[in-house]
């Protein structure tokens, strides 16, 4: 059996949690290639540009400032269950950063936006003053597992910041 067939392309160590994704791309937005192929978002856009459910199975505006999302019953690749608390964790972590989206600050949620895990499957986001781009912004909010946040994360250990790290 050759190395490819055994899952050992280098002939040395087998595939496992120590492996990493390496993208050789000088573009300042190469992080998109990684995150959109390794993480899920609340919603996605289909080939016609229409918003589709992903980890959120549905959403609705309760009023002009409150968006409610119903989360899908899902499990991360590492076995951790996905739920509304995981969505809130991802939101809170990203809100800590000055500029979570290097391609443009228009993708960032305003500082006064809040997120509440109402129950295991329901999230409520409050947008004081409203936000007509909220669903588009959710498309760029990646929802990794607790293990990702605790062991790897987006933060560059050298600078202590996620800004510009990807």
């Amino acid at each position: 059996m050759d190395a490819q067939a055994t899952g050992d392309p280098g002939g040395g160590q087998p595939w496992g949690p120590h492996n990493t994704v390496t993208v050789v791309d000088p573009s300042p937005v190469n992080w998109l290639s990684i995150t959109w192929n390794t993480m899920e978002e609340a919603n996605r856009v289909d080939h016609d540009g229409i918003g589709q459910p992903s980890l959120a199975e549905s959403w609705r505006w309760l009023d002009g400032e409150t968006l409610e999302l119903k989360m899908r019953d899902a499990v991360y690749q590492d076995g951790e269950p996905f739920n509304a608390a995981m969505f809130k964790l991802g939101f809170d972590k990203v809100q800590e950063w000055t500029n979570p989206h290097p391609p443009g600050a228009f993708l960032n949620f305003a500082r006064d936006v809040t997120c509440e895990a109402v129950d295991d499957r329901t999230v409520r986001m409050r947008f004081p003053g409203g936000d007509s781009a909220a669903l588009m912004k959710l498309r760029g909010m990646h929802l990794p597992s607790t293990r990702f946040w605790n062991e790897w994360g987006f933060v560059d250990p050298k600078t202590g910041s996620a800004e510009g790290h990807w």
Side-chain angles (χ1 to χ4, degrees):
M1 211 177 239
D2 68 9
Q4 285 292 86
T6 63
D8 184 8
Q13 297 182 328
W15 290 103
H18 61 277
N19 296 104
T20 60
V21 174
T22 303
V23 176
V24 181
D25 181 355
S27 169
V29 294
N30 67 3
W31 60 273
L32 290 171
S33 299
I34 299 167
T35 55
W36 282 347
N37 287 294
T38 61
M39 296 185 191
E40 289 290 332
E41 295 83 26
N43 60 335
R44 294 204 176 239
V45 177
D46 69 13
H47 67 278
D48 293 322
I50 308 297
Q52 301 294 319
S54 188
L55 283 176
E57 63 184 27
S58 66
W59 52 83
R60 67 186 177 121
W61 286 96
L62 300 179
D63 58 42
E65 296 184 344
T66 309
L67 177 64
E68 183 176 88
L69 300 102
K70 291 292 182 179
M71 296 292 135
R72 189 173 304 282
D73 186 20
V75 176
Y76 287 102
Q77 290 174 330
D78 65 7
E80 180 178 15
F82 173 77
N83 57 32
M86 293 304 301
F87 181 96
K88 180 176 173 21
L89 173 65
F91 176 83
D92 291 346
K93 289 280 194 182
V94 172
Q95 284 295 89
E96 293 174 2
W97 306 337
T98 303
N99 184 26
H101 295 94
F106 67 93
L107 292 169
N108 300 333
F109 291 108
R111 290 282 162 219
D112 58 355
V113 172
T114 60
C115 180
E116 171 191 9
V118 177
D119 59 37
D120 280 349
R121 297 196 51 219
T122 308
V123 170
R124 283 200 190 118
M125 298 181 74
R126 289 194 177 74
F127 300 86
D131 186 344
S132 62
L135 291 172
M136 184 238 354
K137 292 175 183 180
L138 286 173
R139 171 62 182 100
M141 185 182 141
H142 309 294
L143 298 166
S145 69
T146 304
R147 183 174 178 203
F148 175 87
W149 290 116
N150 291 342
E151 293 181 27
W152 301 296
F154 291 110
V155 176
D156 181 349
K158 294 177 193 154
T159 65
S161 171
E163 274 73 46
H165 178 53
W166 289 80

